[in-house]
Short mmCIF file of all heavy atoms in Angstrom, two decimals:
data_model
loop_
_atom_site.label_atom_id
_atom_site.label_comp_id
_atom_site.label_asym_id
_atom_site.label_seq_id
_atom_site.Cartn_x
_atom_site.Cartn_y
_atom_site.Cartn_z
N LYS A 15 31.44 -91.50 -146.37
CA LYS A 15 32.45 -92.39 -145.78
C LYS A 15 32.19 -93.85 -146.18
O LYS A 15 33.10 -94.56 -146.59
CB LYS A 15 32.40 -92.23 -144.24
CG LYS A 15 33.43 -93.01 -143.47
CD LYS A 15 33.64 -92.40 -142.10
CE LYS A 15 32.66 -92.87 -141.04
NZ LYS A 15 32.83 -94.28 -140.65
N SER A 16 30.93 -94.29 -146.08
CA SER A 16 30.62 -95.70 -146.38
C SER A 16 30.89 -96.02 -147.85
O SER A 16 31.46 -97.07 -148.18
CB SER A 16 29.14 -95.97 -146.08
OG SER A 16 28.89 -95.86 -144.72
N ARG A 20 33.86 -98.57 -149.58
CA ARG A 20 33.47 -99.67 -150.48
C ARG A 20 34.07 -99.49 -151.87
O ARG A 20 34.48 -100.46 -152.51
CB ARG A 20 31.95 -99.77 -150.54
CG ARG A 20 31.35 -100.32 -149.24
CD ARG A 20 29.89 -99.96 -149.14
NE ARG A 20 29.21 -100.61 -148.03
CZ ARG A 20 29.29 -100.21 -146.75
NH1 ARG A 20 30.06 -99.19 -146.41
NH2 ARG A 20 28.60 -100.84 -145.81
N SER A 97 35.02 -99.88 -140.02
CA SER A 97 34.67 -100.37 -141.37
C SER A 97 35.91 -100.97 -142.03
O SER A 97 35.84 -102.03 -142.66
CB SER A 97 34.15 -99.23 -142.25
OG SER A 97 32.98 -98.69 -141.71
N ARG A 100 36.77 -104.41 -140.26
CA ARG A 100 35.81 -105.50 -140.47
C ARG A 100 35.73 -105.91 -141.93
O ARG A 100 35.75 -107.09 -142.26
CB ARG A 100 34.45 -105.09 -139.92
CG ARG A 100 34.49 -104.98 -138.39
CD ARG A 100 33.18 -104.54 -137.83
NE ARG A 100 33.19 -104.59 -136.36
CZ ARG A 100 32.56 -103.72 -135.59
NH1 ARG A 100 31.85 -102.74 -136.12
NH2 ARG A 100 32.60 -103.83 -134.28
N MET A 101 35.65 -104.94 -142.81
CA MET A 101 35.51 -105.31 -144.23
C MET A 101 36.80 -105.93 -144.77
O MET A 101 36.76 -106.87 -145.56
CB MET A 101 35.09 -104.09 -145.04
CG MET A 101 33.69 -103.61 -144.67
SD MET A 101 33.12 -102.39 -145.85
CE MET A 101 32.16 -101.33 -144.81
N PRO A 168 21.68 -106.03 -136.79
CA PRO A 168 21.61 -105.26 -138.04
C PRO A 168 22.92 -104.49 -138.22
O PRO A 168 23.13 -103.48 -137.57
CB PRO A 168 20.42 -104.31 -137.83
CG PRO A 168 20.11 -104.34 -136.39
CD PRO A 168 20.84 -105.46 -135.73
N SER A 169 23.80 -104.99 -139.06
CA SER A 169 25.10 -104.34 -139.25
C SER A 169 25.52 -104.43 -140.72
O SER A 169 25.73 -105.52 -141.25
CB SER A 169 26.16 -105.00 -138.38
OG SER A 169 27.45 -104.63 -138.83
N ALA A 170 25.66 -103.27 -141.34
CA ALA A 170 26.09 -103.24 -142.74
C ALA A 170 27.55 -103.65 -142.86
O ALA A 170 27.97 -104.15 -143.90
CB ALA A 170 25.88 -101.85 -143.32
N GLN A 171 28.33 -103.42 -141.79
CA GLN A 171 29.74 -103.84 -141.85
C GLN A 171 29.83 -105.36 -141.89
O GLN A 171 30.59 -105.93 -142.66
CB GLN A 171 30.50 -103.29 -140.65
CG GLN A 171 30.68 -101.79 -140.72
CD GLN A 171 31.39 -101.21 -139.51
OE1 GLN A 171 31.75 -101.93 -138.59
NE2 GLN A 171 31.57 -99.90 -139.51
N ARG A 196 22.24 -100.22 -144.24
CA ARG A 196 22.63 -99.52 -145.47
C ARG A 196 23.04 -100.52 -146.54
O ARG A 196 23.72 -101.52 -146.24
CB ARG A 196 23.71 -98.48 -145.18
CG ARG A 196 25.03 -99.02 -144.74
CD ARG A 196 25.92 -97.92 -144.19
NE ARG A 196 25.36 -97.39 -142.95
CZ ARG A 196 25.78 -96.28 -142.33
NH1 ARG A 196 26.76 -95.58 -142.85
NH2 ARG A 196 25.23 -95.89 -141.22
N ILE A 317 21.33 -95.00 -137.37
CA ILE A 317 22.23 -95.37 -136.27
C ILE A 317 23.36 -94.34 -136.07
O ILE A 317 23.68 -93.98 -134.93
CB ILE A 317 22.78 -96.81 -136.47
CG1 ILE A 317 23.41 -97.33 -135.20
CG2 ILE A 317 23.70 -96.94 -137.66
CD1 ILE A 317 22.44 -97.78 -134.17
N ASP A 318 23.92 -93.83 -137.16
CA ASP A 318 25.05 -92.88 -137.00
C ASP A 318 24.58 -91.47 -136.64
O ASP A 318 25.39 -90.64 -136.22
CB ASP A 318 25.88 -92.82 -138.28
CG ASP A 318 26.75 -94.06 -138.44
OD1 ASP A 318 26.92 -94.82 -137.46
OD2 ASP A 318 27.25 -94.29 -139.56
N LYS A 345 29.86 -98.62 -130.84
CA LYS A 345 30.44 -97.73 -131.86
C LYS A 345 31.81 -97.23 -131.40
O LYS A 345 32.42 -97.82 -130.53
CB LYS A 345 29.47 -96.57 -132.12
CG LYS A 345 28.13 -97.04 -132.68
CD LYS A 345 28.31 -97.67 -134.04
CE LYS A 345 27.03 -98.27 -134.57
NZ LYS A 345 27.22 -98.99 -135.81
C1 S3P B 501 28.81 -98.57 -141.61
C2 S3P B 501 27.89 -99.27 -140.89
C3 S3P B 501 27.49 -98.92 -139.54
C4 S3P B 501 27.86 -97.49 -139.20
C5 S3P B 501 29.27 -97.16 -139.60
C6 S3P B 501 29.46 -97.35 -141.10
C7 S3P B 501 29.15 -99.02 -142.97
O1 S3P B 501 28.16 -99.76 -138.62
O2 S3P B 501 27.68 -97.24 -137.83
O3 S3P B 501 29.57 -95.81 -139.28
O4 S3P B 501 29.74 -98.25 -143.75
O5 S3P B 501 28.81 -100.17 -143.28
P1 S3P B 501 27.59 -101.23 -138.21
O6 S3P B 501 27.68 -102.09 -139.37
O7 S3P B 501 28.51 -101.68 -137.10
O8 S3P B 501 26.19 -100.98 -137.76
#
Side-chain angles (χ1 to χ4, degrees):
K15 183 158 85 69
S16 294
R20 288 160 172 79
S97 298
R100 292 178 174 145
M101 294 191 214
S169 164
Q171 290 178 359
R196 66 192 67 191
I317 194 77
D318 285 345
K345 298 296 174 186

